[in-house]
Amino acid sequence: MDFSVSPVAIELGELFEAHGFELALVGGPVRDLLLNRPAHDLDFCTSARPEEFEPILKKWGDGFWDMGRKFGTLGAIKRMPDGKEYSVEITTYRSDTYEPDSRKPEVNYGDSLEGDLSRRDFTINAMAIRVPSMEFVDPFDGQRDIERKILRTPVEPEQSFDDDPLRMMRAVRFVAQLGFRIGIDTAEALYDMAPRIEIVSAERVRDELCKLLLAQYPHEGLEALVDSGLAEFVLPELPDLSLEIDEHHRHKDVYEHTLQVLDRAIALETDDEGPVPAPDLTLRLAAIMHDIGKPRTRKYEANGKVTFLHHDAVGAKMTKKRLKALHFDNQMVSDVSTLVDMHLRFHGYVDERWSDAAVRRYVKDAGHLYHRLNRLTRADATTQNKAKEQMFARAMDDLEERVIELKEKEDFESIRPDLNGDEIMAILGLAPGPEVGRAYKHMLDYRLDNGPVDRDTAVQELKRWYEEEN
């Protein structure tokens, strides 16, 4: 088989061969070669022990690291004459064993390439190309699985997932990245062993979920997450959206609606020059979380109508709790929960065109999330009524045009009350504390509603509010 392997791989292979060691390109880079996808990093395995190939790598590379030394892995950066920079990682042949309650292997060095490949997650990642001879090694029919677009494990799936439960998340992530389907035996084992994902750290699970959402086929990846049973432990709010459809079809299935909103939100992402460059994790998380408050707020009215009152506020709290449990950073938690909380705000504009003050308040409240919020709102309008859909789109277009016009007159982000905190304390004779904060917020609201006013008017309004409050 003819492979177009990077010159870096050939160069390294010749160097290792000269020292009497085997070297093979393995895993993702080989898979990507067969898929005609670019391989950004190069992973190798070798018969040499770390202490044996360390001096080779240090002399060859332009940069060296050894953070993975305890796992038999060393890395280097190589800058080629054409200016390209390559990152390589080399690992000694391994044969790992796992403790039942841990996904961290006890590293044992192996003695063959085939043995090393048998411990990898899926057959499509258990292929290798020996360098510099260019011999293709595929003991588990990974090439055939690529052609069939199937995910299988090299060994029994129960053993593979028991050894490292994170491989179950990697399975659904590869569905999203490659558009493959999970083989029947592998899928059955995944479903049976889904509870074992709970021994994996939240950070690891979060990272796989993020990769899934940012992939080319996140819709299919989320379906695999739910169908596998993993979502019950990773993102239980998602399968909970599968509300039964009553015989009169009074409400749509919220799970299917959510996946549709995700697809529509992705279609509204922009290129690198736009306000929401693709792929945007914040928008995609908000799309799948925006309706998670519906199961808790569902109510059947006397007239048979189904309502979900305040599902936006309830969903925002649930979103914050789930993202914190998955150890997302505070900014992401805040941004996504805010989008969920505000995703219905615009609907009032469709019913009645807002005043300039209301438009300013909307933009101010959305802050840096304004463009994402509008895209989430547009994506959420999944009605089959074409006239209603067009009316909604026209209303959003009108709002965005008005925002542009208003911003030409005033920078919304710099809007401040006509009186600052020090002035408020001096006028009301207050010491620093919560009451000053409430007064400041009132004056900001007054500023948004009325535009800038002179100092006397602002002082009069502050005193009026304070007297009314006290």
Side-chain angles (χ1 to χ4, degrees):
M1 184 176 295
D2 183 25
F3 288 104
S4 179
V5 172
S6 166
V8 169
I10 303 299
E11 183 178 305
L12 263 178
E14 292 172 345
L15 197 55
F16 271 64
E17 185 177 60
H19 285 79
F21 302 126
E22 297 176 3
L23 186 71
L25 187 67
V26 293
V30 179
R31 176 199 70 221
D32 290 340
L33 277 173
L34 291 173
L35 287 168
N36 294 315
R37 289 158 53 102
H40 303 291
D41 300 322
L42 302 177
D43 297 325
F44 299 88
C45 62
T46 180
S47 59
R49 301 295 173 92
E51 63 272 15
E52 293 176 317
F53 70 84
E54 179 175 352
I56 302 174
L57 204 54
K58 280 183 173 179
K59 185 176 180 180
W60 172 80
D62 298 302
F64 172 83
W65 66 89
D66 63 352
M67 287 85 77
R69 184 183 293 274
K70 66 179 179 179
F71 300 113
T73 302
L74 304 177
I77 290 176
K78 180 70 171 180
R79 299 180 186 88
M80 299 300 283
D82 61 2
K84 290 184 179 179
E85 191 173 90
Y86 293 87
S87 174
V88 305
E89 285 193 352
I90 303 177
T91 303
T92 301
Y93 293 155
R94 283 163 52 176
S95 177
D96 299 339
T97 57
Y98 292 81
E99 292 296 326
D101 296 324
S102 173
R103 62 166 296 272
K104 296 180 179 179
E106 177 183 330
V107 179
N108 298 308
Y109 292 134
D111 55 11
S112 71
L113 174 59
E114 288 75 9
D116 182 276
L117 295 177
S118 71
R119 52 162 289 280
R120 296 180 180 268
D121 53 4
F122 301 104
T123 59
I124 63 171
N125 295 326
M127 299 176 290
I129 301 173
R130 295 184 186 274
V131 286
S133 68
M134 300 301 293
E135 175 192 350
F136 180 54
V137 182
D138 183 17
F140 304 104
D141 284 335
Q143 182 183 7
R144 183 166 176 264
D145 286 341
I146 285 179
E147 293 169 352
R148 297 189 301 165
K149 296 187 175 183
I150 287 180
L151 292 166
R152 291 188 307 114
T153 54
V155 296
E156 290 299 316
E158 292 83 2
Q159 176 189 334
S160 182
F161 296 152
D162 190 57
D163 283 348
D164 185 357
L166 187 63
R167 289 171 176 167
M168 295 188 289
M169 282 297 297
R170 286 172 60 83
V172 296
R173 188 247 290 180
F174 280 128
V175 170
Q177 287 183 329
L178 304 175
F180 285 18
R181 60 185 175 86
I182 301 173
I184 295 176
D185 291 345
T186 303
E188 290 177 350
L190 201 164
Y191 186 84
D192 291 340
M193 302 185 71
R196 189 158 166 74
I197 196 66
E198 291 187 298
I199 75 166
V200 180
S201 71
E203 291 85 358
R204 292 279 188 166
V205 171
R206 175 203 64 209
D207 290 347
E208 290 296 327
L209 179 62
C210 290
K211 291 175 182 176
L212 183 158
L213 287 173
L214 294 173
Q216 187 174 358
Y217 310 103
H219 182 133
E220 289 78 358
L222 289 173
E223 286 183 325
L225 187 74
V226 172
D227 293 344
S228 68
L230 282 173
E232 296 288 348
F233 305 94
V234 173
L235 196 64
E237 295 80 4
L238 190 60
D240 285 350
L241 293 176
S242 295
L243 305 175
E244 69 277 8
I245 302 177
D246 61 276
E247 59 180 328
H248 301 294
H249 296 278
R250 295 191 181 103
H251 66 274
K252 55 194 169 189
D253 184 277
V254 186
Y255 171 65
E256 293 298 333
H257 164 73
T258 294
L259 295 182
Q260 185 180 3
V261 171
L262 173 66
D263 292 340
R264 288 164 60 93
I266 290 172
L268 292 171
E269 291 174 343
T270 57
D271 58 24
D272 292 340
E273 301 301 319
V276 187
D280 189 84
L281 181 61
T282 304
L283 178 60
R284 296 185 184 197
L285 277 170
I288 66 172
M289 305 297 279
H290 79 284
D291 272 350
I292 63 171
K294 279 191 171 180
R296 290 192 183 181
T297 58
R298 180 175 52 168
K299 185 178 180 181
Y300 292 94
E301 303 292 345
N303 60 3
K305 183 180 179 181
V306 181
T307 63
F308 304 97
L309 293 179
H310 308 303
H311 76 269
D312 45 351
V314 172
K317 292 179 180 178
M318 293 172 64
T319 296
K320 187 173 294 186
K321 183 177 180 180
R322 175 55 53 198
L323 296 189
K324 283 184 175 180
L326 288 168
H327 292 194
F328 278 92
D329 64 74
N330 292 336
Q331 186 66 58
M332 184 64 75
V333 173
S334 175
D335 286 353
V336 177
S337 57
T338 297
L339 288 170
V340 172
D341 192 39
M342 291 188 68
H343 81 275
L344 294 180
R345 176 83 73 89
F346 172 76
H347 288 248
Y349 191 97
V350 181
D351 298 329
E352 183 178 352
R353 198 169 187 261
W354 290 341
S355 65
D356 286 353
V359 172
R360 284 195 295 268
R361 186 182 298 279
Y362 175 82
V363 177
K364 183 72 174 177
D365 289 347
H368 69 280
L369 297 171
Y370 167 74
H371 292 289
R372 289 190 180 99
L373 177 59
N374 286 359
R375 280 160 173 75
L376 176 62
T377 303
R378 286 182 185 271
D380 190 32
T382 60
T383 177
Q384 298 299 311
N385 186 320
K386 292 299 181 183
K388 188 176 180 180
E389 179 184 9
Q390 291 173 3
M391 181 176 68
F392 190 94
R394 284 196 299 269
M396 178 60 80
D397 291 342
D398 180 67
L399 171 70
E400 291 181 340
E401 289 171 4
R402 288 180 63 193
V403 169
I404 292 172
E405 293 172 0
L406 288 171
K407 281 189 172 183
E408 289 177 352
K409 301 175 184 177
E410 184 174 22
D411 180 6
F412 289 2
E413 294 179 4
S414 65
I415 290 179
R416 300 289 185 272
D418 295 296
L419 300 172
N420 63 34
D422 290 337
E423 290 173 314
I424 289 172
M425 287 189 288
I427 293 167
L428 298 181
L430 297 175
E435 199 163 19
V436 178
R438 289 193 294 272
Y440 185 93
K441 182 180 184 304
H442 171 73
M443 294 307 296
L444 177 59
D445 289 342
Y446 183 78
R447 169 72 175 76
L448 288 168
D449 288 339
N450 299 279
V453 297
D454 59 64
R455 178 179 171 79
D456 289 344
T457 303
V459 170
Q460 183 180 354
E461 171 60 25
L462 174 64
K463 289 179 176 180
R464 184 205 63 76
W465 170 84
Y466 187 70
E467 289 174 4
E468 189 176 287
E469 290 292 304
N470 294 278

